[in-house]
Amino acid sequence: YLWRRQSCWTGRGEVAMNGRIATFMVHTSPLEQAGTGDAGGMNIYVVESAQKIAAHGIDVDIYTRRTDPHQSDVEMSPGVNVKYLDAGPATPLKKEELPTQISALTHSFMDIYRTLPADYYKLIHSHYWISGHIGWNVSSATQLPLVHTMHTMARVKNLALAENESPEPDVRAYGEEQIVRNCAALIANTDAEAAQLVSLYSACPDRVFTVAPGVDLQRFTPGHGKAAARAALNIAADALMFTFVGRIQPHKGPEVLVRSAAEMLSHSPHLRARLAVVIMGGPSGNGTEEPERLKALAKFLGVEDVVHFVPPYTRAELADWYRASDLVCVPSYTESFGLVALEAQACGTPVVATAVGGLRTAVADGISGALVDGHDARAWSAVISRLLSDPAHRVGLSVGAIEHASHFGWEATARKTLDVYDWVLTNPDQHSLKVVQ
């Protein structure tokens, strides 16, 4: 790489130039607990990839919005710093309210930028569309090239809404289109997402790069196995347990699992004594009331005794929940990738997921788990029941899950991201900004 920290050796008998990037993720903080509010896979993605990039000698400053007057800049890990921007009251705002603060957040960053030495940052990397607009504004003012990762897209989500789920507003779709037309490069999680950027947003194919997210292969491992994990969590050794991990909102599909449990017990009532459906996470976005609604649904369907709601756990504790599960289920309506699926497989637990978006890449159908078309509870019940009743098959899938996840380390994500940065920095004619209203 052409722009590592001065302490880094290039291998060519010379020392590389200073390197530092500014990362924007303003609607959620990298320090927040994933699985509740607006914190989810994107938080993990930004933190993990930043730490690996920093290990290559490129410092990463992650800019987020100040939501508490006592928050101050902090070094999260060597070479990775969290810095706060001021916009509006220093209190939490709903994600839907943040577009009104784009101008203020831009000005807050520019006030900081004017105090920095020349050539302090090499480029900007923004995550999610609100941050992308800040990145576009800053790029236009500073001529720093902008790299953007969507994570989710309005037009993709609106093509696959859950029942009674509100569509993403037009302002978001228009905003995403403007970012696509004005950034130097776009990073997609999968080839399918790259194709959606081209087909739905008219992205230039030459500026779209596929970089798969990763999994922490040191933290998420088979460990001492299912029995030890269940003993640590006080879970019955003979339980038939399938688990949902994520933000509890309609688009993530946890209702599918509640209805599937009812369907399973209607056909096999003898399973009631052993069946355990774990829904781990907190309310988020337009699903603020979703946990209570799901609890009421479970009671209405007569499965409240087998459906267990638990709060989000830390990354260190989460691995045991994956290991303790017979299956981990990801019934999302769309998913740009599905980090939960990768983490569970790295722990040796097969995954049942919807055959949509990045889940087709994250799960190897028939090898590391099973993909299900649609969200019909009967179909999900049939797949889950078949796997729960066949321990030998699950063992085979477990072996395949560990092997499949082993190809998705964060180191590979960081290296490919750095390749994108190098392409942008060595092709300055490719990122001249167009003024697009």
Side-chain angles (χ1 to χ4, degrees):
Y1 302 107
L2 303 177
W3 48 293
R4 295 180 178 183
R5 279 198 297 265
Q6 286 186 346
S7 60
C8 290
W9 190 256
T10 65
R12 298 189 300 273
E14 59 185 3
V15 176
M17 59 194 295
N18 288 326
R20 184 184 292 265
I21 66 169
T23 293
F24 292 141
M25 55 174 300
V26 299
H27 78 280
T28 176
S29 167
L31 301 175
E32 291 178 2
Q33 168 71 51
T36 189
D38 290 316
M42 191 188 84
N43 298 64
I44 298 165
Y45 180 108
V46 171
V47 170
E48 294 281 0
S49 57
Q51 290 174 339
K52 293 296 184 183
I53 287 171
H56 282 272
I58 294 95
D59 290 340
V60 181
D61 290 343
I62 304 173
Y63 287 89
T64 191
R65 179 179 167 273
R66 194 188 312 274
T67 58
D68 186 304
H70 299 104
Q71 289 171 330
S72 57
D73 297 352
V74 61
E75 184 181 51
M76 189 174 191
S77 60
V80 180
N81 305 288
V82 177
K83 295 178 176 291
Y84 290 95
L85 300 175
D86 293 301
T91 56
L93 291 177
K94 293 181 180 179
K95 184 166 59 176
E96 294 74 18
E97 298 174 303
L98 281 179
T100 65
Q101 300 302 312
I102 287 174
S103 179
L105 288 160
T106 300
H107 281 286
S108 181
F109 175 80
M110 290 304 299
D111 286 343
I112 296 170
Y113 183 79
R114 292 185 189 99
T115 69
L116 301 175
D119 203 31
Y120 190 76
Y121 291 118
K122 298 300 180 185
L123 55 76
I124 302 160
H125 190 165
S126 55
H127 296 266
Y128 194 68
W129 79 275
I130 299 171
S131 295
H133 263 264
I134 298 165
W136 173 23
N137 290 340
V138 170
S139 181
S140 182
T142 64
Q143 296 307 300
L144 291 171
L146 172 63
V147 176
H148 183 71
T149 304
M150 287 288 188
H151 293 282
T152 62
M153 293 178 277
R155 288 173 181 161
V156 174
K157 291 186 73 172
N158 287 347
L159 289 172
L161 293 172
E163 185 177 355
N164 298 321
E165 183 182 14
S166 300
E168 293 294 318
D170 288 341
V171 66
R172 175 180 172 184
Y174 297 150
E176 289 170 343
E177 186 173 316
Q178 290 172 321
I179 295 164
V180 167
R181 296 175 67 178
N182 287 280
C183 64
L186 289 156
I187 293 180
N189 289 333
T190 64
D191 289 337
E193 184 183 347
Q196 290 168 334
L197 282 165
V198 174
S199 63
L200 297 177
Y201 290 88
S202 301
C204 172
D206 292 340
R207 298 190 184 197
V208 181
F209 299 84
T210 299
V211 179
V215 61
D216 185 341
L217 295 172
Q218 282 68 54
R219 172 173 290 164
F220 296 102
T221 70
H224 297 294
K226 181 188 297 182
R230 289 191 172 186
L233 297 173
N234 197 28
I235 295 170
D238 66 343
L240 295 172
M241 175 173 158
F242 58 96
T243 302
F244 168 94
V245 176
R247 289 171 289 164
I248 302 178
Q249 57 180 215
H251 206 78
K252 295 293 184 181
E255 178 177 332
V256 174
L257 303 185
V258 176
R259 293 188 179 277
S260 295
E263 186 72 21
M264 291 170 65
L265 292 179
S266 70
H267 293 288
S268 305
H270 64 280
L271 292 178
R272 185 177 291 273
R274 299 174 60 197
L275 192 65
V277 183
V278 174
I279 297 180
M280 178 187 295
S284 170
N286 59 8
T288 304
E289 308 299 326
E290 193 69 358
E292 295 307 315
R293 189 184 74 83
L294 289 181
K295 290 175 184 177
L297 176 65
K299 184 174 182 179
F300 174 77
L301 295 175
V303 292
E304 72 272 24
D305 57 323
V306 302
V307 179
H308 307 276
F309 294 85
V310 298
Y313 277 76
T314 65
R315 312 289 292 153
E317 299 167 306
L318 186 55
D320 265 344
W321 283 93
Y322 288 138
R323 296 175 189 128
S325 303
D326 292 296
L327 301 169
V328 167
C329 298
V330 188
S332 302
Y333 282 77
T334 62
E335 197 71 63
S336 61
F337 194 74
L339 294 182
V340 164
L342 269 189
E343 292 171 352
Q345 289 170 103
C347 291
T349 301
V351 171
V352 181
T354 321
V356 296
L359 290 171
R360 294 191 180 98
T361 300
V363 179
D365 190 27
I367 297 172
S368 68
L371 294 175
V372 183
D373 289 320
H375 299 84
D376 184 86
R378 291 168 297 181
W380 277 79
S381 170
V383 172
I384 293 170
S385 295
R386 174 172 55 84
L387 292 176
L388 289 180
S389 65
D390 192 346
H393 189 194
R394 292 204 310 277
V395 169
L397 291 176
S398 176
V399 173
I402 297 168
E403 163 63 18
H404 182 63
S406 71
H407 299 285
F408 293 92
W410 284 112
E411 175 63 24
T413 304
R415 286 182 178 274
K416 291 179 180 178
T417 301
L418 287 168
D419 286 342
V420 176
Y421 294 169
D422 270 354
W423 180 86
V424 168
L425 292 172
T426 55
N427 292 274
D429 58 316
Q430 294 293 320
H431 57 77
S432 58
L433 289 174
K434 301 180 293 294
V435 178
V436 179
Q437 302 302 321

